[in-house]
Amino acid sequence: MPPKSIKRKRDEKVEGGEKSATKQPKKSANENGTPAEKPTKWLFKSEPESRMEKGVDMKFGFSDLKAEKDGVACWDGVRNYQARNFMRNMKVGEEGFFYHSNTKIPGIIGLVTIVREAYPDHTQFDPKDPHYDPKSDKASPRWDMVDVKYNRELKRYIPLPELKSLHQAHKSSGGPLRNLALFTSARLSVQPVTEEEWNFILQLENEKK
């Protein structure tokens, strides 16, 4: 039996039909028109509060990850092709922000590390699971997941309103958070974070609010 908590990640609605399954994420570019560097930092959204879906509690907060054996859990339940493709690009040792979503004050609470690269998500084949996909073929699984490990909690919680205010200011000034995917691709539960964005957000934990 898999750990109880691994069925608690937030997922998105499937985009398009079978043809979309091979869709690759669009390549972004820097201001000078050159291709953007391949992401090595990420943001993972998950729900810290109970929400029942088909009899399963979708709750999986940062403390739940810490409570897992060795602080490791598989990131299952992603049902969006672009988010899935991002996970397929992840490498062991890369880091990500753990973001609490669907709560009174959403925000970034801590850091995780990728400890296993993409492999088939078992929940797509389980009819009792909220993330079951009857069209997925075991010979060629449609959905993948990665394993993430609890790293550490930030020195302070960085709330969504603070990030949004900075994003809006940086759109005008050309600051580090001007293109932050949390706002430009808000629907995705797994998102890339540039090195510039990562460093800027990480230093926010040292600022008293």
Side-chain angles (χ1 to χ4, degrees):
M1 292 286 292
K4 184 178 180 182
S5 62
I6 62 175
K7 296 183 179 180
R8 309 288 172 76
K9 315 300 186 305
R10 181 178 178 85
D11 69 317
E12 316 92 335
K13 293 182 179 179
V14 175
E15 296 178 328
E18 193 69 33
K19 187 176 180 180
S20 299
T22 57
K23 185 189 296 183
Q24 296 296 319
K26 293 181 180 179
K27 293 182 180 180
S28 57
N30 296 316
E31 285 80 353
N32 59 9
T34 60
E37 61 183 21
K38 184 178 179 180
T40 59
K41 307 292 185 183
W42 311 94
L43 182 144
F44 297 86
K45 292 181 180 180
S46 197
E47 302 181 40
E49 300 175 6
S50 291
R51 178 177 68 83
M52 301 302 293
E53 185 174 330
K54 296 183 179 179
V56 176
D57 190 351
M58 307 304 290
K59 175 183 180 295
F60 192 81
F62 199 47
S63 60
D64 295 306
L65 175 60
K66 185 177 182 180
E68 288 291 328
K69 182 180 179 181
D70 299 322
V72 175
C74 57
W75 205 263
D76 61 41
V78 172
R79 297 295 182 266
N80 173 282
Y81 294 119
Q82 189 173 17
R84 178 208 62 185
N85 290 347
F86 285 142
M87 291 198 295
R88 288 180 174 179
N89 289 331
M90 294 177 184
K91 302 298 181 184
V92 169
E94 293 180 350
E95 295 180 293
F97 289 122
F98 195 107
Y99 179 91
H100 276 173
S101 65
N102 201 24
T103 186
K104 186 175 181 179
I105 303 178
I108 297 172
I109 188 170
L111 306 180
V112 298
T113 303
I114 309 302
V115 293
R116 183 177 177 182
E117 294 172 11
Y119 62 104
D121 179 347
H122 61 278
T123 64
Q124 64 193 303
F125 305 120
D126 183 359
K128 296 181 180 179
D129 194 279
H131 304 123
Y132 173 59
D133 184 353
K135 295 183 179 180
S136 186
D137 184 357
K138 287 188 177 182
S140 182
R142 178 180 292 181
W143 307 110
D144 287 345
M145 60 187 180
V146 297
D147 286 359
V148 302
K149 180 180 177 64
Y150 178 99
N151 186 333
R152 70 173 177 86
E153 189 170 343
L154 295 184
K155 296 175 184 176
R156 72 176 182 89
Y157 188 73
I158 303 176
L160 178 62
E162 179 180 345
L163 292 168
K164 185 175 182 180
S165 177
L166 289 165
H167 166 66
Q168 291 175 333
H170 289 188
K171 283 199 299 182
S172 300
S173 66
L177 303 189
R178 60 193 179 281
N179 296 318
L180 188 64
L182 186 61
F183 303 104
T184 60
S185 300
R187 61 187 173 77
L188 296 177
S189 67
V190 177
Q191 305 174 352
V193 178
T194 68
E195 196 74 28
E196 181 183 37
E197 293 165 349
W198 178 271
N199 292 332
F200 184 88
I201 293 173
L202 205 54
Q203 60 86 26
L204 292 176
E205 69 173 335
N206 297 312
E207 298 182 6
K208 293 183 177 181
K209 292 291 180 177

